[in-house]
Amino acid sequence: MKKLFLVGAVALFGALSAQTGFKLGAHVGLPVGDYSDVSSFTIGVDGSYLWPVAADFNLGVATGFSTYFPTSDFKDLGAKNLNLVPVAASGQYRFTPQFSLGVDLGYGFLFSDGESDGGFYFQPKAAYHFGPSEVNLSYAGVSQDGATLSSINLGYAYSFGK
């Protein structure tokens, strides 16, 4: 079974590296909305793989890891960092070679101090592309039970193989 898993992982890595839509990036952000008084800022890493569907439209998958840091008031009360791992479908439309709009939709897993939860994940974004790089502005959120953990983010991503 371990050999089968290893062969599958090598085949998947080979298929991904042979394509042109793999992106890695990082972001910083400010929490807004329901949790803006609890969290002071967020940082994270992002990864996605997009396949061309039409001339200017790509679809794929996205994931990442973000940490929301508690404000000093809540940290003094024992609050821990809140971690987010999204698993989402991703779409991107390029209006020009330099400008695109996109959205990620899926499920966001939330982890903090040994407990886990989650909810509907969404992230609309606008990006400016230059060469294989992009700078993007996004609004990311996880909605659950009428409350939303959300942030406005500034990010950078690099596309491999383009």
Side-chain angles (χ1 to χ4, degrees), residues 16-91:
L16 288 177
S17 64
Q19 302 299 319
T20 60
F22 185 61
K23 276 198 280 191
L24 283 178
H27 65 269
V28 296
L30 295 174
V32 295
D34 297 331
Y35 290 92
S36 61
D37 58 341
V38 177
S39 181
S40 56
F41 72 99
T42 181
I43 60 171
V45 294
D46 307 296
S48 67
Y49 190 85
L50 298 173
W51 291 272
V53 176
D56 297 321
F57 184 65
N58 298 322
L59 283 177
V61 294
T63 190
F65 181 85
S66 298
T67 297
Y68 288 78
F69 295 92
T71 61
S72 59
D73 293 340
F74 283 92
K75 191 177 264 188
D76 292 343
L77 295 173
K80 303 290 184 197
N81 297 348
L82 181 61
N83 302 308
L84 165 65
V85 176
V87 176
S90 183

Side-chain angles (χ1 to χ4, degrees), residues 119-143:
F120 175 69
Y121 172 78
F122 54 95
Q123 183 180 26
K125 52 188 152 186
Y128 176 77
H129 304 266
F130 51 100
S133 299
E134 75 177 52
V135 174
N136 57 61
L137 183 64
S138 68
Y139 174 84
V142 176
S143 181

